[in-house]
Amino acid sequence: ETGVTQSPTHLIKTRGQQVTLRCSSQSGHNTVSWYQQALGQGPQFIFQYYREEENGRGNFPPRFSGLQFPNYSSELNVNALELDDSALYLCASSANQGSRNEQFFGPGTRLTVL
Amino acid sequence: AQSVTQLGSHVSVSEGALVLLRCNYSSSVPPYLFWYVQYPNQGLQLLLKYTSAATLVKGINGFEAEFKKSETSFHLTKPSAHMSDAAEYFCAVSGRLSGGSYIPTFGRGTSLIVHP
């Protein structure tokens, strides 16, 4: 059974650019959630996708957007990057919208915005 | 609304000593509570979870936590610390989104330092 994978591992962008981060969910999981973890902070919920539809969103602006594909992999897109977007971006997959089920986290993508 | 407060950004113990990491929560509905561990350059791994069954929850690696409703607490303990326990620990409370899914709200984390 393959766990949650994310790519790339590290990324450096400049302010104003756009970035796409990718996540492959664990086998059998139909739900993917994205989190932003700033240095020294806990993860902050960005949004969740369930069966290719956005199922919930945290307090993030519209320039944070996402997709989920038929194989339940997912992308996080961030437009017009700002310095404060520098963080570790975590993807987590779960079965059936999470409910009481465990979310399995990937290793994250470290984004640095210069 | 839900929130989590982790008391102490750093906790330092000697190897073999008791580990106690504190977590207090606020939730408008009966909460689901979680403890996660994060090792350097890795994602989060679930240690244990409380979902309204037994109030004393046992997790992996010898950790356990007790849900105390009267104190709104869910402190994490381990009788004897090991060097490999050094990591960042996050407490989280889960609330239900309108779509039916449960999304955890995380605390700021507590860094556990274990001295030889």
Side-chain angles (χ1 to χ4, degrees):
Chain A
E1 184 178 88
T2 305
V4 179
T5 60
Q6 293 185 243
S7 62
T9 305
H10 296 86
L11 202 53
I12 300 175
K13 291 286 188 178
T14 56
R15 195 169 47 182
Q17 286 189 310
Q18 178 266 343
V19 68
T20 297
L21 310 181
R22 295 178 175 83
C23 171
S24 292
S25 60
Q26 184 161 312
S27 176
H29 287 180
N30 55 19
T31 304
V32 172
S33 302
W34 285 92
Y35 296 84
Q36 180 194 67
Q37 186 179 14
L39 200 61
Q41 304 291 322
Q44 299 291 315
F45 172 67
I46 302 175
F47 44 56
Q48 182 183 84
Y49 278 83
Y50 170 64
R51 294 184 176 178
E52 303 179 58
E53 297 285 333
E54 186 178 293
N55 190 46
R57 190 178 184 92
N59 189 27
F60 280 82
R63 58 189 186 84
F64 285 78
S65 63
L67 283 173
Q68 188 178 31
F69 300 100
N71 66 354
Y72 302 129
S73 65
S74 177
E75 286 183 355
L76 164 65
N77 299 288
V78 187
N79 293 321
L81 284 167
E82 301 177 359
L83 297 179
D84 285 348
D85 295 333
S86 295
L88 180 68
Y89 288 84
L90 295 166
C91 165
S93 75
S94 55
N96 301 324
Q97 301 178 274
S99 64
R100 307 180 190 184
N101 296 329
E102 177 182 353
Q103 290 194 330
F104 291 82
F105 284 80
T109 294
R110 174 73 63 186
L111 172 64
T112 302
V113 182
L114 302 176
Chain B
Q2 56 191 29
S3 65
V4 164
T5 301
Q6 291 185 241
L7 300 176
S9 58
H10 295 82
V11 170
S12 182
V13 300
S14 298
E15 191 173 20
L18 171 71
V19 175
L20 171 60
L21 304 182
R22 300 179 186 273
C23 172
N24 288 90
Y25 70 91
S26 172
S27 178
S28 56
V29 297
Y32 295 153
L33 293 160
F34 307 80
W35 275 100
Y36 287 86
V37 61
Q38 186 177 33
Y39 297 100
N41 301 314
Q42 295 187 26
L44 278 68
Q45 179 184 8
L46 182 68
L47 280 176
L48 49 81
K49 62 181 178 182
Y50 167 77
T51 57
S52 74
T55 57
L56 181 62
V57 181
K58 295 187 183 297
I60 62 171
N61 301 339
F63 285 94
E64 63 181 36
E66 186 173 7
F67 172 69
K68 292 186 176 181
K69 184 178 179 180
S70 61
E71 299 178 8
T72 61
S73 69
F74 191 57
H75 302 330
L76 181 70
T77 61
K78 182 174 180 177
S80 177
H82 192 273
M83 296 295 291
S84 62
D85 294 327
E88 192 79 16
Y89 291 80
F90 293 94
C91 180
V93 61
S94 190
R96 188 168 184 170
L97 295 178
S98 59
S101 60
Y102 291 78
I103 298 300
T105 297
F106 288 85
R108 296 181 62 144
T110 298
S111 179
L112 177 64
I113 302 161
V114 182
H115 297 288

